[in-house]
Amino acid sequence: MNLSNKAILVLEDGRTFNGASFGAEGETFGEIVFNTSMSGYQEILTDPSYAGQIVCMTYPLIGNYGVNTEDVESRRPWVEGFVVREASRIASNWRSTETLDSYLKRNNIVGIEHIDTRALVRHIRDKGAMRSAISTIELDAESLLQKVLASPSMENRELASAVTVADEFEYPSAQTAKYHIVAYDFGVKTNSLREFSRFGCKITVVPAHTSANDVLALKPDGIFLSNGPGDPASMTAVVSEIKKLTESSVPMFGICLGHQILGQVFGGETYKLKFGHRGGNQPIKNLETGKIEIASHNHGFAVSRESLPADVEVTHVNLNDDTVAGLRHKKLPIFSVQYHPESAPGPHDSEYLFEQFVEMLGS
């Protein structure tokens, strides 16, 4: 990383940060968001839910343990750009296979370092997530701002089709398979599949646009709706197909975007949060048990509690802002959570949800 390589970050309200380039050189656009995790940057980079977004890490030193071939959550990084206070020049870990800088270069991800990430995060919290750009090519802030203003916003943007697999594939059970789950890939993370696998499930992963009839033809014991990027309100065709599946009596479990889709299936509405929830330290209250879970989050939209019908109950809430963090249908074998129980990166408090779903398959 050469400190003489200049880079600039421009937000759509004109706020500008000058820094140094790391990773790939070039110009990239996306919604600027921040993640409060202290580690797990490789899992964050490869989480498809970050498609369309430039991610700022609040922890000041990123890259110190390098990158390896095992901790990826999907087939490639999906972030549009990466913002850090300091990118470590040393990668020290026995599992490391390359540096973060090399990894970003190889995957053509533009990064910027040596900016005041505290000031940036405070600005996002005050003004909200917004369109932005990182450039090592166009260093004139006003010229880059005009490009930012011409770039797409996250509202009404459908991105699941950009990250989903082209063809269905099977993920094997880690033991003798007891159940068969069909997982909709709206941006599924590998650790979700690992969790189901270790509980004795084989998983058929299908593209986001798969019809209800095609899913039922696979004869699933359960259906999983994965996380993913974009505005859930743009997923009208998918919502229509999932609504058909709710009439099949097959148990369903949704997380993140899958949770938001189920909220709409039941007649609820979604809305955009000011700056979203992203990090491994979000406090969630389980209203059924009274227990507090520390959970991993990555979402910019939420389900409106007031819009939900009487036959859907809220099971979890986010204690930071009282937003809906979990739902359950009172009559159908369907539940969902807004956060990431697969815990990659993050705590393991919520892994019980996978076991809870698998228990439903045998009832």
Side-chain angles (χ1 to χ4, degrees):
M1 286 165 281
N2 188 339
L3 296 183
S4 66
N5 291 345
K6 294 182 180 179
I8 187 172
L9 168 66
V10 173
L11 279 53
E12 73 170 279
D13 65 356
R15 185 72 185 268
T16 301
F17 296 84
N18 292 288
S21 166
F22 83 105
E25 295 188 0
E27 197 166 274
T28 188
F29 299 85
E31 181 184 50
I32 186 74
V33 299
F34 62 89
N35 188 296
T36 59
S37 298
M38 296 177 68
S39 62
Y41 50 82
Q42 186 173 352
E43 292 92 333
I44 291 164
L45 290 167
T46 55
D47 180 350
S49 297
Y50 281 115
Q53 295 177 322
I54 292 173
V55 179
C56 170
M57 300 298 293
T58 62
Y59 190 70
L61 181 64
I62 299 295
N64 53 310
Y65 56 85
V67 172
N68 63 65
T69 58
E70 298 173 22
D71 291 344
V72 294
E73 283 300 311
S74 63
R75 59 191 180 276
R76 69 172 177 85
W78 292 99
V79 300
E80 304 299 331
F82 205 40
V83 182
V84 301
R85 177 69 185 91
E86 180 183 348
S88 176
R89 286 149 183 76
I90 299 171
S92 179
N93 187 276
W94 66 275
R95 300 171 70 232
S96 175
T97 55
E98 66 180 313
T99 65
L100 174 61
D101 182 53
S102 168
Y103 183 70
L104 294 182
K105 280 186 170 73
R106 185 162 59 81
N107 286 282
N108 200 33
I109 305 295
V110 180
I112 184 171
E113 65 169 330
H114 295 295
I115 72 162
D116 188 344
T117 51
R118 294 174 299 176
L120 173 59
V121 170
R122 289 191 66 167
H123 189 76
I124 297 169
R125 284 179 60 89
D126 184 38
K127 306 297 183 182
M130 64 186 81
R131 291 173 293 175
S132 66
I134 303 172
S135 181
T136 65
I137 301 168
E138 177 59 79
L139 298 178
D140 179 75
E142 186 55 41
S143 296
L144 190 56
L145 175 59
Q146 296 310 309
K147 294 181 182 180
V148 171
L149 295 174
S151 66
S153 65
M154 191 57 71
E155 286 92 343
N156 300 310
R157 193 173 179 191
E158 193 279 305
L159 288 167
S161 59
V163 303
T164 192
V165 290
D167 302 294
E168 70 177 56
F169 69 91
E170 284 207 355
Y171 193 96
S173 173
Q175 51 184 281
T176 302
K178 295 180 286 188
Y179 303 111
H180 176 214
I181 291 174
V182 171
Y184 268 92
D185 176 20
F186 303 128
V188 70
K189 292 170 71 176
T190 302
N191 218 40
S192 290
L193 306 181
R194 289 194 197 103
E195 290 287 347
F196 286 126
S197 174
R198 78 184 182 92
F199 282 116
C201 300
K202 74 170 184 177
I203 308 102
T204 302
V205 181
V206 299
H209 52 76
T210 305
S211 71
N213 287 339
D214 286 346
V215 168
L216 294 175
L218 294 169
K219 301 188 184 307
D221 297 303
I223 298 167
F224 174 63
L225 309 182
S226 83
N227 60 289
D231 185 345
S234 68
M235 306 282 288
T236 51
V238 170
V239 168
S240 177
E241 292 303 312
I242 302 302
K243 192 165 189 176
K244 296 174 188 175
L245 289 172
T246 63
E247 300 164 2
S248 69
S249 76
V250 178
M252 298 178 68
F253 173 34
I255 66 168
C256 206
L257 181 60
H259 159 85
Q260 296 159 0
I261 288 171
L262 283 173
Q264 293 178 91
V265 165
F266 296 140
E269 298 175 352
T270 57
Y271 63 97
K272 195 174 192 299
L273 296 167
K274 185 175 181 180
F275 48 81
H277 304 150
R278 298 175 182 87
N281 56 353
Q282 298 276 333
I284 299 299
K285 184 171 184 178
N286 184 323
L287 298 179
E288 298 172 301
T289 65
K291 292 183 178 179
I292 310 301
E293 304 166 27
I294 302 301
S296 180
H297 282 233
N298 173 19
H299 64 103
F301 294 84
V303 175
S304 166
R305 185 195 309 259
E306 293 73 23
S307 69
L308 293 169
D311 54 4
V312 175
E313 65 177 332
V314 175
T315 57
H316 300 71
V317 294
N318 187 309
L319 292 179
N320 283 337
D321 58 8
D322 202 39
T323 50
V324 174
L327 298 174
R328 182 176 63 193
H329 198 280
K330 294 179 181 178
K331 300 174 183 175
L332 303 173
I334 300 172
F335 71 99
S336 63
V337 291
Q338 179 61 81
Y339 49 100
H340 285 262
E342 80 285 346
S343 310
H348 303 276
D349 299 22
S350 307
E351 283 183 316
Y352 71 91
L353 291 162
F354 290 98
E355 187 173 12
Q356 183 176 307
F357 181 56
V358 172
E359 286 175 355
M360 288 176 64
L361 306 185
S363 61

